[in-house]
Amino acid sequence: MLSLKSVSKRYKTGDLALKEVTLEIPEGQVMALIGPSGAGKSTLIRCINRLVDPTEGVITLDGEVISSLSARGLRKARRRMGMIFQEYALVERLTVMENVLSGRLGYVGFWRSWFRKYPAADVQEAFRLLDRVGLKHMADKRADELSGGQRQRVGIARALIQDPALLLVDEPTASLDPKTSRQIMRLICELCEERHLSAIINIHDVLLAQMFAKRVVGLQLGEIVYDGPPDGLGPDV
Ligand code: ADP
Ligand code: ADP
């Protein structure tokens, strides 16, 4: 379970991006985080994976206090957080299979095996995941040969092969057309359900959030202004 208690973030520029945000996400729950640009959605995700340090408050994941971990502890904790990005963050010159494997082996481990041989069990698991996201037949294609939707499927497989406890998903559909966006959101939510995974999906498209998430949290100027089922959102959000 993920918990945030009175988490605030003030950037050095003086911007108060989060104001005493308190949230709990039980195991297996998918939460969509919505709000206009500048509301603090990315900051919230970055406080959880500690790309930024919260100014105040406590963040715990399965009982471990994330917000005060040392660099070493943080490296371990991050292995339990799968990340999915807006611009996919694939290594363009590597194959689909290699991109997925890099999620399992980590950066150093990946290059070490690149010169020798990838562990067979990891390759097998990567194939299983590629099959699940509909890309098994493209394992040997280079990432730069794929469409946006296919790239995001690779990003999803790469996050899942880590076997994370939590998925942090930052605007996964912002670079995709509406139909592909729906497919990608559906895939992420289905996979979370299958694997009993918690997820925060940062998404500014309210309709997409309503379509797929059972819980929606609305942020505005760094504060939670809504937390509940998607159908409780007023027409003016
Ligand atoms: P958005 O979430 O609105 O699409 P991003 O968060 O992706 O924007 O912003 C892109 C980059 O610019 C990030 O590295 C972010 O930390 C940084 N950034 C955003 N707003 C500011 C700001 N006011 N001052 C300095 N850097 C900023
Ligand atoms: P969102 O993801 O909802 O668009 P952000 O978390 O990117 O919102 O931004 C929240 C606020 O924090 C904005 O006012 C933004 O300008 C500011 N901000 C974001 N990143 C930085 C940064 N690296 N340095 C300074 N201010 C930032």
Side-chain angles (χ1 to χ4, degrees):
M1 186 186 73
L2 177 76
S3 135
L4 283 78
K5 286 208 182 87
S6 300
V7 173
S8 298
K9 173 63 188 177
R10 186 181 291 281
Y11 285 105
K12 288 201 187 76
T13 48
D15 284 302
L16 189 55
L18 293 176
K19 293 178 205 166
E20 307 214 359
V21 169
T22 295
L23 262 183
E24 282 197 355
I25 301 179
E27 211 181 300
Q29 186 177 70
V30 173
M31 184 202 96
L33 186 61
I34 63 169
S37 185
K41 304 183 297 297
S42 312
T43 301
L44 191 134
I45 281 192
R46 289 174 191 162
C47 283
I48 297 167
N49 65 18
R50 289 274 305 278
L51 280 179
V52 309
D53 291 327
T55 320
E56 276 174 72
V58 179
I59 301 173
T60 58
L61 177 60
D62 295 332
E64 182 173 44
V65 182
I66 300 288
S67 44
S68 58
L69 283 177
S70 63
R72 185 143 175 243
L74 187 58
R75 233 173 294 135
K76 271 181 92 176
R78 278 189 181 144
R79 295 207 61 77
R80 293 188 285 131
M81 304 178 196
M83 295 285 303
I84 297 174
F85 306 92
Q86 173 177 341
E87 299 290 346
Y88 328 118
L90 304 182
V91 182
E92 298 289 326
R93 301 177 66 86
L94 293 181
T95 65
V96 165
M97 170 57 80
E98 288 169 329
N99 270 283
V100 176
L101 282 170
S102 73
R104 174 77 137 221
L105 302 169
Y107 189 75
V108 175
F110 172 78
W111 286 108
R112 202 175 282 147
S113 351
W114 189 77
F115 287 108
R116 306 212 296 259
K117 201 165 180 282
Y118 302 117
D122 295 339
V123 173
Q124 229 171 42
E125 179 60 15
F127 266 124
R128 255 199 299 276
L129 279 165
L130 282 173
D131 194 22
R132 177 62 187 84
V133 301
L135 284 184
K136 195 175 182 187
H137 59 294
M138 302 195 94
D140 294 329
K141 284 250 188 289
R142 264 170 49 155
D144 56 11
E145 296 176 73
L146 306 185
S147 70
Q150 290 169 335
R151 280 169 202 228
Q152 195 54 293
R153 287 168 192 271
V154 178
I156 293 168
R158 180 186 54 190
L160 290 178
I161 201 170
Q162 262 179 259
D163 197 21
L166 173 71
L167 267 190
L168 297 172
V169 189
D170 201 357
E171 298 284 359
T173 65
S175 313
L176 303 173
D177 63 68
K179 182 165 170 239
T180 309
S181 295
R182 286 193 295 276
Q183 292 170 343
I184 291 294
M185 272 297 279
R186 179 177 297 118
L187 182 62
I188 293 173
C189 293
E190 280 175 2
L191 282 162
C192 286
E193 196 160 317
E194 283 167 26
R195 300 177 154 238
H196 207 62
L197 249 178
S198 319
I200 298 181
I201 306 179
N202 166 353
I203 186 152
H204 73 265
D205 184 333
V206 179
L207 285 177
L208 265 183
Q210 285 181 304
M211 227 181 279
F212 294 104
K214 295 195 181 88
R215 179 182 178 190
V216 176
V217 169
L219 266 188
Q220 231 165 61
L221 296 172
E223 286 183 288
I224 294 180
V225 294
Y226 180 84
D227 185 353
D231 52 13
L233 282 168
D236 52 341
V237 268

